[in-house]
Amino acid sequence: AAMWRALAAAPARALLRTPPLRRAASLAVSPAAGPADERVETRVAGLSPGQPVTLRAVAADDSGCLFQSCAHYRADSRGELHLGTDASHGGDYTGVEPMGLFWSLAPAGMEKPYQRLVPRSTGAPMKVEVLVHQGHSPPGAMPGPVVAKAEVQRLFTAPGVRRIRLKEGVVRGSLFLPPGDGPFPGVIDMYGDEGGLIEFRSSLLATHGFAALSLPYFDFEDLPRVMKELKLEYFEEAARFLQRHPKVKGPGIGVIGTGKGAELALSMITFLPEVVAAVSISGCSSNTVADLHYGEMTLPGLRFDMKKVSVSDSGVFDIFEALDDPTNPANSPSVIPIEKAEGHLLLVVGEDDRLWKSSLYAELAIRRLRQHGKENFELLSYPGAGHRIDPPSTPFCQVAMDRVLGVPVLGGGESKAHAHAQEHSWGKIQEFLHLHLG
């Protein structure tokens, strides 16, 4: 009762005194629109000193599947945050990671797991919303109230880059040409056994001054539906088309491939004089899965033995041990004779690739080159990186749905190490191609 009397006696204006006005929090991400493979700078201001906040990024893929990431930060003594210098203390990553919110994007809780966030069309930017929430909320939990937000557009095609759909003889795909008259160094870009047309690396290469041909080799338009056998003549025709293109600098062209595409890149530089530089990302030193024919010659494909596949309790397939052993003498007809290659090779591998033994395959390739007195190669080997090493800030995906098998397959890797491998290798790949293609 005494308390109520004291309150009643207090002047009314004291009760109505409002807390001092705090300036509103603000979030700046710059550039607000820029190339998808370049860093952004993220700054928060107007927080109270030491205030705990959760930063979140949210994006949707072309089919509307939602991806998100989060990290825990504390404001400095000025109530500010800079992701280039301040460390995350929790969430989807820790430490100073300027692009952590982007490479840790993963399917939201209500979405199907094991999906990749890669653009199917490169014409429209990928929109990412960055939000600042009060307090620290763990991944998957309801975050606190939003105190600031901003939208970022990640562009896969620079202004002035031209995309030309290709129907040239039997060759299909998309040619990306940089702005200007050229001529430009020419590169063929291929992905793996998921098939179809994957363009985002080609469009980024064009943004960096390469005439890049995104080359599908099955499951696209009138190409074969499945990868039963392959003819090197198809790839030869693509190489000759690109080499003769008026916008392409000669005399030779480059190829870049991932997985099965990497192994095709090795076969192309081995047998096709048009190809003078090859980048093999997580490739095999032998031909795999589909027999490769070239004139009278055939490189039989190593096979996967499904009895050597293990499945985890959560239903994830581990196929690491399943490919036939390329070191077995019985499999020597499948080995790509890369010592015949006159050009230059860049081998890129993740040491934690669990899809197959790409570190071992790179060692075998190097051993073979050295046995023939060749030193025309470089190796980039990344501890902690998994199978699919893409351009920077491509979200890490340790387990991905396999399009052929229709099951989740372990690709390996640890998110931070993999993200750093993507950033470092992308610069090195461009340097290598510029060096050998002019």
Side-chain angles (χ1 to χ4, degrees):
M3 185 180 82
W4 290 113
R5 276 198 300 277
L7 277 175
R13 69 173 182 276
L15 286 177
L16 297 172
R17 198 178 288 146
T18 51
L21 267 178
R22 278 210 24 247
R23 49 194 184 116
S26 65
L27 168 66
V29 186
S30 60
D37 57 346
E38 289 184 8
R39 282 186 177 191
V40 295
E41 197 157 293
T42 306
R43 292 176 182 272
V44 186
L47 300 170
S48 41
Q51 183 178 343
V53 287
T54 298
L55 266 68
R56 275 175 73 231
V58 182
D61 69 7
D62 303 338
S63 60
C65 172
L66 207 61
F67 290 75
Q68 58 183 16
S69 60
C70 76
H72 299 160
Y73 290 91
R74 278 189 187 280
D76 65 13
S77 57
R78 296 189 308 270
E80 295 177 2
L81 256 184
H82 179 220
L83 267 57
T85 52
D86 292 325
S88 161
H89 305 291
D92 291 319
Y93 62 91
T94 56
V96 178
E97 294 294 335
M99 295 302 292
L101 287 171
F102 292 82
W103 55 248
S104 61
L105 282 163
M110 69 280 204
E111 301 288 0
K112 284 197 200 113
Y114 314 133
Q115 299 188 73
R116 285 187 190 286
L117 180 56
V118 288
R120 290 207 181 85
S121 83
T122 54
M126 183 183 287
K127 292 177 180 169
V128 182
E129 189 170 34
V130 182
L131 305 112
V132 184
H133 297 267
Q134 281 180 27
H136 285 165
S137 46
M142 271 297 286
V146 174
V147 295
K149 61 182 181 175
E151 188 184 80
V152 192
Q153 297 195 0
R154 308 286 283 158
L155 310 174
F156 289 89
T157 309
V161 167
R162 284 169 55 212
R163 172 180 179 265
I164 301 153
R165 283 303 297 277
L166 209 63
K167 273 199 166 175
E168 192 69 32
V170 295
V171 178
R172 300 290 174 265
S174 298
L175 176 63
F176 290 86
L177 293 173
D181 296 333
F184 308 103
V187 180
I188 289 175
D189 175 29
M190 298 174 295
Y191 271 92
D193 59 9
E194 64 266 55
L197 178 66
I198 301 175
E199 298 177 316
F200 74 102
R201 185 165 60 192
S202 304
S203 63
L204 288 172
L205 283 168
T207 295
H208 290 283
F210 295 93
L213 169 56
S214 182
L215 186 68
Y217 46 96
F218 74 103
D219 195 25
F220 180 72
E221 291 184 350
D222 53 358
L223 296 175
R225 290 289 303 152
V226 292
M227 190 174 61
K228 279 228 170 63
E229 48 181 3
L230 294 167
K231 291 186 163 62
L232 199 63
E233 283 82 358
Y234 173 79
F235 302 90
E236 182 173 51
E237 201 171 316
R240 287 179 177 167
F241 161 80
L242 189 61
Q243 186 194 29
R244 293 179 189 142
H245 195 281
K247 291 260 184 183
V248 172
K249 205 187 260 192
I253 62 153
V255 287
I256 177 171
T258 297
K260 177 67 188 174
E263 171 199 309
L264 286 163
L266 294 180
S267 293
M268 288 170 75
I269 197 169
T270 297
F271 297 110
L272 307 180
E274 296 85 359
V275 177
V276 299
V279 180
S280 160
I281 301 172
S282 310
C284 186
S285 49
S286 292
N287 185 54
T288 67
V289 185
D291 294 357
L292 181 67
H293 306 285
Y294 186 46
E296 300 293 298
M297 180 209 75
T298 296
L299 291 182
L302 297 181
R303 299 290 188 241
F304 281 97
D305 179 355
M306 295 315 280
K307 291 197 290 296
K308 292 185 180 164
V309 173
S310 63
V311 185
S312 74
D313 294 342
S314 57
V316 173
F317 282 59
D318 183 345
I319 63 172
F320 187 65
E321 297 289 349
L323 187 68
D324 289 345
D325 178 5
T327 63
N328 180 339
N331 293 324
S332 61
S334 299
V335 175
I336 302 164
I338 55 170
E339 68 280 359
K340 293 189 162 87
E342 292 297 322
H344 292 266
L345 301 146
L346 177 62
L347 307 171
V348 183
V349 296
E351 293 174 21
D352 194 32
D353 184 348
R354 293 293 304 173
L355 200 80
W356 61 14
K357 303 176 183 180
S358 50
S359 286
L360 167 69
Y361 305 152
E363 270 175 47
L364 295 175
I366 288 168
R367 193 181 308 162
R368 190 172 178 102
L369 289 166
R370 287 201 163 132
Q371 279 167 353
H372 290 85
K374 295 253 174 155
E375 288 290 336
N376 57 338
F377 64 87
E378 285 173 67
L379 172 67
L380 296 174
S381 184
Y382 295 101
H387 179 69
R388 200 167 136 161
I389 298 172
D390 273 326
S393 303
T394 302
F396 171 68
C397 190
Q398 189 182 48
V399 176
M401 201 48 88
D402 186 277
R403 214 192 53 81
V404 183
L405 300 172
V407 296
V409 172
L410 183 62
E414 180 276 312
S415 59
K416 191 187 290 196
H418 191 90
H420 293 180
Q422 290 191 149
E423 188 158 351
H424 182 264
S425 62
W426 186 234
K428 290 291 186 192
I429 286 165
Q430 291 173 61
E431 277 172 31
F432 170 84
L433 291 170
H434 276 302
L435 177 66
H436 297 297
L437 303 175

